[in-house]
Amino acid sequence: MELCSRTLTTLLHRTSSSSSSSSSHSLLRATTCNYATPSKSSNYFNLSSSSSSHYHNHHVLHHFQQPPFLFHHHHGSFSSFIVSASSSSSSSSSSSSSVAASSTEEKMDRLPAELNVTETQEPNSRVRLQVEVPPVVCEDCYKRVISEFTKQAKVPGFRPGKPVPESILVGYVGRKNVQKATIESILRRTLPHAMTSVTRKALPDSVRIVTKFSELEKTYSSQGSLRYDVLADIVPEIKWVPDNGYKNLKIVVEIDSDIDAQKASEQEFKRRHKSIGALKVVADRGLQVGDVVVIDISATTIDQDESKIKNIPSAESKGFNFDTEDGYRILPGFLDSIIGIRPGETKSFPLVFPETWNQENLRGVHAQFTVECKELFYRDLPELDDSIADKLIPGCTTVQQVRDLLLQRCQEVEQSAREQATDNAILDQISKMVEVDIPQSLFEEQGRQLYGASLLEIQAKMNLNDQQLASLSSQKAVNEYLEHQKDNIRNLIKQNLAVGDIYRRENLQFSTEDLVKEVENSITEFKRQNQEYDEERVKDQVQEILEGAKVLEWLREHAEIQYVTR
């Protein structure tokens, strides 16, 4: 049946949603069976590894630049930061002042007097610093600015680098420009001192001066001193409820029956057998199980008030090729209702979508279906003997060899699926056991990483043009994604923070050899695809992945796990 139509934005939302799957016609049941070996990564690994995909497509990144990676959950320091003082909207000439300041890890410039810094805790793991710079510090900064202008300015009538009377120098440079340069010098020199108490806790790129530059100019002009406010998001504290609850997890893992290796291998064997058969037209009977039928389907809601009857577009299709042996995947009762139908014949019948149906908007809906049979075929299958083994799987000489190989592959898929389901269940449970005040900057950073990865995935599948990329990369599109996926984003962050906290608490370690090997493998892959990369970022991400693997391994060993087939 036809895929339901949807916008590209909806595709992006579905791509990163935890409940996303290959969306099919609404009559079809969603199935988790996949004959390609699934990724063994859990949500935690997807979080880390998917963010690296922003290296993989320069064309997409031309439109959408992702922010830096998620900070190391067991580190809180950073080597440098950029802050901006907000500018007054009334004057374009007094635009925001970008101030680069080295961290307190480096030697800070000594000040002639102490700053007065008041620290206030705010919601979302944010700190506000109210900084008062005394006049003596401001005067010292002013003298330095004048000294620099003296060295650099080419004042008519004076040799470069030679002393210039202050009044002449200020008049030549401009009093306003001298004042702006002095304020920037004050911010540059004092900010590292003001940040001393939170430097090791502040998140990268979250530190910003929020006082308008026009207010800084006004204060400095009138008082010869400076006051400014700084906001910084800090590494959030994690509270376990109950304390150390992760040490005694009791996990129930639901396993879909579709991944049962025996069942899946039999279905795959049948599929391969059917694929080498021929379809022949049925001329003397109606539809029976085993046939392939081409049908047109229409559906409406059922309501006593005819004015309220509506079409169900997602349940409609033209020229749908329906293999009746896949009846278990279709809406219950649909196959039984069309058994016996002949080409040219139309049948109409009511059905009810189950409350467990994949599409929430159809759950419990009473629908009237109309089905027209266009063509009817039966399969002329070759005998199941060893002569067809090579056609089923190239290289095989017996049918039993084919069955054994398919079973082996499906067992590998089943094991991978069980491991992934176990990891997902563990991560889901520990995320519910932690209380954390998530900083807004961390939320936005993580959300943009996920959005960027989703955009790259859509680009790979659909080859978006420049106009589509520009639309999907707009701030509006990103904000809509953040709002739509906020619960998912917050949950992923909680999982990441919880994993990092457990890694630190339990003093877990991975070998240096593993780190070096995985980094080399990643870099080799980048080079093979002729893609740029940042070796430090690759190393950071590999480290996060290895840490996550160690934590999940530890949690599996210490958890009580029960598997339930659904």
Side-chain angles (χ1 to χ4, degrees):
M1 298 185 183
E2 298 175 350
L3 289 176
C4 303
S5 61
R6 58 177 71 88
T7 63
L8 291 173
T9 303
T10 302
L11 271 175
L12 277 165
H13 291 168
R14 287 174 182 255
T15 298
S16 56
S17 172
S18 58
S19 62
S20 65
S21 60
S22 56
S23 180
S24 58
H25 190 282
S26 64
L27 290 180
L28 295 176
R29 293 182 182 273
T31 174
T32 59
C33 187
N34 187 346
Y35 293 103
T37 303
S39 168
K40 294 179 69 174
S41 64
S42 62
N43 286 342
Y44 177 83
F45 297 118
N46 287 336
L47 172 63
S48 298
S49 58
S50 66
S51 57
S52 66
S53 63
H54 81 287
Y55 297 118
H56 295 179
N57 193 318
H58 302 296
H59 186 54
V60 173
L61 288 184
H62 175 71
H63 293 270
F64 183 84
Q65 187 63 45
Q66 295 186 62
F69 289 96
L70 222 160
F71 66 99
H72 276 301
H73 28 250
H74 57 291
H75 302 301
S77 61
F78 56 98
S79 59
S80 64
F81 47 80
I82 303 295
V83 296
S84 295
S86 303
S87 63
S88 171
S89 59
S90 62
S91 174
S92 60
S93 62
S94 59
S95 59
S96 61
S97 170
S98 295
V99 181
S102 62
S103 97
T104 54
E105 292 180 358
E106 301 174 4
K107 185 177 180 180
M108 291 188 295
D109 189 6
R110 180 173 296 180
L111 300 177
E114 293 292 328
L115 305 178
N116 184 12
V117 182
T118 303
E119 181 178 324
T120 306
Q121 298 291 330
E122 295 196 350
N124 299 324
S125 298
R126 177 171 291 175
V127 171
R128 179 181 292 270
L129 302 175
Q130 296 173 300
V131 185
E132 294 184 16
V133 184
V136 64
V137 175
C138 295
E139 179 63 24
D140 189 61
C141 291
Y142 173 79
K143 290 179 180 179
R144 290 195 178 194
V145 168
I146 291 297
S147 176
E148 284 300 315
F149 275 130
T150 299
K151 296 175 184 178
Q152 299 178 19
K154 297 180 180 179
V155 182
F158 295 88
R159 292 181 180 180
K162 295 297 182 179
V164 180
E166 184 177 320
S167 58
I168 295 177
L169 181 64
V170 172
Y172 175 75
V173 175
R175 186 170 299 278
K176 195 73 172 177
N177 290 331
V178 172
Q179 179 175 282
K180 288 182 178 179
T182 301
I183 292 173
E184 291 202 8
S185 176
I186 294 170
L187 297 177
R188 192 186 314 277
R189 293 182 63 193
T190 62
L191 187 57
H193 292 270
M195 290 289 299
T196 302
S197 64
V198 296
T199 295
R200 289 191 169 274
K201 298 187 295 181
L203 301 183
D205 303 313
S206 73
V207 181
R208 59 195 181 280
I209 295 174
V210 294
T211 306
K212 290 183 178 180
F213 200 84
S214 59
E215 294 179 8
L216 297 176
E217 291 180 305
K218 183 178 179 180
T219 303
Y220 179 72
S221 297
S222 62
Q223 302 178 17
S225 61
L226 207 65
R227 291 191 301 271
Y228 60 91
D229 284 7
V230 180
L231 286 181
D233 290 343
I234 60 175
V235 177
E237 295 183 0
I238 295 178
K239 179 182 179 182
W240 288 91
V241 182
D243 189 32
N244 292 326
Y246 66 87
K247 293 186 175 182
N248 300 292
L249 293 179
K250 293 184 178 180
I251 305 292
V252 177
V253 182
E254 293 188 348
I255 303 295
D256 200 304
S257 60
D258 286 337
I259 70 167
D260 177 80
Q262 191 66 48
K263 179 180 177 182
S265 65
E266 284 299 322
Q267 291 174 349
E268 179 63 6
F269 182 85
K270 288 182 180 179
R271 186 193 68 78
R272 289 173 182 253
H273 185 209
K274 288 190 293 185
S275 71
I276 61 175
L279 287 177
K280 295 187 176 181
V281 175
V282 174
D284 56 352
R285 61 172 175 79
L287 175 70
Q288 63 186 31
V289 175
D291 292 340
V292 175
V293 61
V294 180
I295 52 180
D296 289 347
I297 306 171
S298 60
T300 64
T301 58
I302 296 176
D303 200 299
Q304 293 182 347
D305 185 348
E306 293 186 0
S307 64
K308 295 183 179 180
I309 295 177
K310 298 179 180 179
N311 291 333
I312 307 177
S314 59
E316 298 181 345
S317 184
K318 295 287 187 181
F320 173 52
N321 288 274
F322 177 37
D323 185 344
T324 54
E325 289 190 355
D326 292 335
Y328 67 94
R329 296 183 58 220
I330 210 79
L331 179 67
F334 184 87
L335 175 58
D336 292 340
S337 299
I338 63 172
I339 288 294
I341 195 171
R342 294 171 177 263
E345 186 179 349
T346 299
K347 285 192 175 185
S348 184
F349 48 89
L351 291 176
V352 180
F353 287 91
E355 292 296 336
T356 56
W357 199 247
N358 190 49
Q359 291 178 255
E360 293 184 13
N361 64 315
L362 291 180
R363 291 174 183 172
V365 171
H366 291 249
Q368 185 70 28
F369 285 89
T370 301
V371 176
E372 180 183 358
C373 179
K374 310 297 287 188
E375 298 177 89
L376 182 59
F377 304 92
Y378 72 94
R379 280 196 171 89
D380 186 11
L381 300 177
E383 290 294 326
L384 276 176
D385 55 39
D386 293 343
S387 64
I388 67 169
D390 186 65
K391 294 180 180 179
L392 297 175
I393 296 181
C396 288
T397 56
T398 67
V399 170
Q400 187 58 48
Q401 187 180 2
V402 172
R403 290 184 182 277
D404 292 343
L405 186 55
L406 288 177
L407 178 59
Q408 178 184 342
R409 291 178 180 177
C410 289
Q411 286 172 338
E412 293 172 357
V413 171
E414 179 182 4
Q415 181 61 29
S416 295
R418 287 173 70 90
E419 290 177 1
Q420 182 174 342
T422 302
D423 289 346
N424 289 341
I426 289 174
L427 290 169
D428 182 62
Q429 182 147 332
I430 64 173
S431 70
K432 295 176 181 177
M433 301 174 72
V434 295
E435 294 180 357
V436 58
D437 202 9
I438 298 175
Q440 183 63 22
S441 62
L442 183 56
F443 171 82
E444 292 179 359
E445 177 186 329
Q446 183 61 73
R448 288 176 180 274
Q449 286 182 15
L450 292 173
Y451 186 78
S454 298
L455 186 56
L456 288 170
E457 186 175 338
I458 295 299
Q459 165 69 350
K461 291 179 179 178
M462 303 182 65
N463 194 23
L464 306 177
N465 59 39
D466 287 347
Q467 184 177 358
Q468 290 171 320
L469 278 175
S471 174
L472 290 174
S473 304
S474 67
Q475 189 61 47
K476 179 182 178 182
V478 175
N479 290 340
E480 288 177 353
Y481 176 87
L482 294 179
E483 176 61 28
H484 188 271
Q485 291 291 324
K486 61 183 179 182
D487 291 339
N488 185 41
I489 295 169
R490 290 182 180 279
N491 190 51
L492 289 173
I493 292 173
K494 289 175 69 176
Q495 289 179 3
N496 244 357
L497 294 173
V499 166
D501 192 55
I502 295 171
Y503 186 86
R504 187 185 68 254
R505 284 176 175 231
E506 300 302 324
N507 295 315
L508 302 179
Q509 293 182 341
F510 55 83
S511 68
T512 303
E513 290 78 8
D514 286 343
L515 177 62
V516 172
K517 180 181 177 181
E518 291 301 326
V519 169
E520 289 177 348
N521 290 341
S522 297
I523 291 176
T524 299
E525 183 65 18
F526 280 124
K527 290 180 177 179
R528 187 182 68 82
Q529 298 185 22
N530 196 27
Q531 295 165 349
E532 295 181 5
Y533 62 90
D534 182 321
E535 187 168 345
E536 282 304 311
R537 281 188 169 181
V538 172
K539 182 178 179 181
D540 287 345
Q541 288 194 328
V542 169
Q543 184 170 330
E544 287 187 357
I545 292 172
L546 293 175
E547 289 175 5
K550 280 295 181 183
V551 170
L552 287 171
E553 179 184 346
W554 187 92
L555 290 172
R556 284 193 297 268
E557 291 176 353
H558 293 79
E560 181 181 320
I561 302 174
Q562 176 185 0
Y563 292 95
V564 177
T565 302
R566 60 184 177 187

